Amino acid sequence: MNETVVTVVGNVATTPVFRELPTGSVARFRLAVTARHRDRVKETWVDGHTNFFTVCAWRLLGANVMASVNVGDPVIVQGRLKVRNEERGGQQWMSADIDALAIGHDMSRGTSDFRRGGKRETAQAAQATQSEAAQGQRSPAESVGEPPFGAGADAVASPEPVFETQAVQVAPEPASVT
């Protein structure tokens, strides 16, 4: 069967929602993708049209999304594109959905902290994140003092990460002549 696999770069537009379904758990969020182009006359970057996609992340990927992704985060989503036509209230609606195969933060626009987790730990983190969102508590990004996405230059930034390095000495390999 032929499927349309797409890779989309954009910003998380809505708070991810986690649900347990008979077919498995799923996290859903909307992704905003805005084309940009260079206006040579004005010598500035100009925003183009914005497309919105509904992203569905199933099972463990969905639990990881709930523990890692917040509104405004720049992400890269790879998955199967599905275009749906439906009728609501007598009107025809068309929507573009992506069944995600992989989701990650866009490292060209910021840093991220990867933590490998087991299935149980990730599912518990997803449930905790969902309950915090329901109670109106802050997102993880807000709790560590990072400025909200799109904040101006006056926003308080979190301190730069510190990377510890150790000097490693490697013995040179003897040259072999054949």
Side-chain angles (χ1 to χ4, degrees):
M1 173 153 113
N2 293 331
E3 295 180 332
T4 304
V5 177
V6 296
T7 301
V8 183
V9 179
N11 293 321
V12 177
T14 61
T15 303
V17 176
F18 189 78
R19 291 199 176 109
E20 290 287 342
L21 303 175
T23 57
S25 57
V26 63
R28 300 182 92 157
F29 64 90
R30 299 278 288 166
L31 182 70
V33 179
T34 303
R36 295 193 61 152
H37 66 277
R38 181 90 172 148
D39 185 339
R40 293 182 185 188
V41 175
K42 296 179 184 176
E43 295 188 12
T44 60
W45 285 95
V46 179
D47 287 344
H49 178 73
T50 301
N51 291 307
F52 288 90
F53 298 92
T54 300
V55 178
C56 295
W58 294 90
R59 292 172 284 288
L60 185 56
L61 178 59
N64 288 337
V65 163
M66 291 304 299
S68 305
V69 174
N70 296 300
V71 173
D73 285 356
V75 294
I76 301 172
V77 176
Q78 182 179 37
R80 293 181 292 273
L81 179 65
K82 306 210 184 243
V83 178
R84 293 184 300 133
N85 290 315
E86 58 185 76
E87 185 175 330
R88 286 189 236 157
Q91 292 184 346
Q92 289 290 334
W93 289 84
M94 182 179 289
S95 66
D97 299 344
I98 299 175
D99 279 340
L101 301 171
I103 300 173
H105 286 108
D106 185 352
M107 303 301 286
S108 69
R109 296 178 14 197
T111 62
S112 187
D113 182 24
F114 180 80
R115 290 173 306 279
R116 187 177 305 274
K119 291 181 182 180
R120 174 174 281 167
E121 292 86 8
T122 305
Q124 290 171 346
Q127 289 172 350
T129 303
Q130 183 73 11
S131 65
E132 288 173 4
Q135 296 171 1
Q137 294 180 1
R138 293 179 161 190
S139 70
E142 293 169 332
S143 65
V144 295
E146 293 182 16
F149 180 76
D154 300 356
V156 177
S158 59
E160 288 294 318
V162 177
F163 298 100
E164 294 182 19
T165 59
Q166 293 179 340
V168 177
Q169 295 201 355
V170 179
E173 293 184 20
S176 60
V177 178
T178 56

